Amino acid sequence: MHFISEELEDYAALHSENEPELLSELNRETHQKILQPRMLSGHFQGRVLSLISKLVNPFHILEIGTYTGYATLCLAEGLQANGSIDTIDNNEELYDFQKKYFDRSEWRGQIHQHLGNALDIIPKLNKNFDLVFIDADKENYINYFDAVIPLMNKGGIILSDNVLWSGKILEPVKPNDKSTKILLEYNKKLKEDPRVETVLLPIRDGLTVSRVI
């Protein structure tokens, strides 16, 4: 579902910051070689992620769901000089693809890849975070939020992707559709949780920005 016309989306991208060349290459190769390229954040959302990261100027970033590493590199643009970004994914087939682009970037020494179950890995990181991006399996969104909220610095930002789920959140939920059911619960939780203040932005497939109080 397009929440605005493709023409308006193209206009928004055209009048936003240009896509860096390394990310443009990553974008092209993802569409050429990797399944489900729609999962890529892409130019416009990538520039949104980059700008939010630059505004936060985080020391530690956590990303849950790396895919091919596009959003990782966008988020890294706002890192402090000695900061780090931990990115977690359970798809070992994408590890080398991600690393190839990470190693070509100026943040190659600051990006730490983790392969496995995020709920097992997060408690072992032993860090407090200024910025978190949740973009993995939707059925665990509530679990991911509950895992990271105690690790957030005050004023930190939690970003949650795909929260409009192609508009399915407005439709009757099918009995076997666990993802939509969880996202409905998740969106309600973020709205009502007193630990955060939240705004849901209709960018691409929905991006929630939650500030830790």
Side-chain angles (χ1 to χ4, degrees):
M1 172 184 285
H2 282 273
F3 301 107
I4 62 172
S5 70
E6 290 188 55
E7 291 81 6
L8 280 174
E9 287 184 352
D10 291 342
Y11 183 88
L14 185 63
H15 290 81
S16 300
E17 286 296 308
N18 293 332
E19 183 179 43
E21 180 55 36
L22 181 63
L23 289 175
S24 180
E25 289 182 38
L26 195 165
N27 195 336
R28 286 195 298 271
E29 189 171 1
T30 298
H31 279 81
Q32 291 168 355
K33 298 180 180 179
I34 308 297
L35 292 174
Q36 298 178 300
R38 186 174 179 272
M39 291 171 58
L40 191 85
S41 290
H43 172 199
F44 178 64
Q45 184 174 344
R47 292 304 85 204
V48 173
L49 296 176
S50 168
L51 188 58
I52 290 173
S53 184
K54 288 171 182 173
L55 290 170
V56 175
N57 191 215
F59 188 68
H60 288 313
I61 300 174
L62 172 64
E63 179 184 41
I64 304 172
T66 315
Y67 188 48
T68 57
Y70 189 100
T72 320
L73 291 170
C74 294
L75 294 167
E77 292 178 29
L79 270 175
Q80 294 182 31
N82 296 317
S84 68
I85 177 166
D86 290 276
T87 183
I88 306 170
D89 204 281
N90 61 6
N91 187 344
E92 60 183 284
E93 294 180 1
L94 293 177
Y95 187 92
D96 290 338
F97 186 100
Q98 301 158 5
K99 190 173 188 302
K100 175 175 69 174
Y101 282 94
F102 295 162
D103 285 348
R104 290 177 58 193
S105 78
E106 61 186 276
W107 305 281
R108 55 188 169 273
Q110 296 171 271
I111 300 174
H112 307 296
Q113 293 170 269
H114 303 272
L115 188 60
N117 186 319
L119 294 173
D120 294 331
I121 294 169
I122 291 169
K124 300 174 183 176
L125 295 176
N126 196 30
K127 292 178 182 176
N128 289 331
F129 297 99
D130 305 296
L131 181 60
V132 170
F133 185 40
I134 301 175
D135 187 20
D137 57 306
K138 311 313 163 194
E139 293 178 25
N140 269 311
Y141 263 36
I142 292 173
N143 294 329
Y144 294 142
F145 179 85
D146 288 340
V148 301
I149 190 72
L151 306 177
M152 297 297 298
N153 289 320
K154 185 176 181 180
I157 299 293
I158 300 173
L159 303 172
S160 308
D161 202 15
N162 305 118
V163 290
L164 295 179
W165 206 223
S166 299
K168 291 180 182 178
I169 42 84
L170 296 179
E171 302 169 358
V173 181
K174 297 177 181 178
N176 62 344
D177 187 353
K178 294 181 180 178
S179 294
T180 302
K181 180 177 181 294
I182 291 294
L183 282 172
L184 286 167
E185 293 177 14
Y186 183 70
N187 292 339
K188 184 174 185 290
K189 177 183 177 69
L190 292 189
K191 165 68 175 175
E192 298 176 352
D193 195 310
R195 295 172 293 181
V196 293
E197 53 183 344
T198 290
V199 92
L200 197 163
L201 304 174
I203 293 172
R204 263 185 111 235
D205 198 23
L207 178 71
T208 297
V209 182
S210 301
R211 176 180 175 273
V212 179
I213 299 172

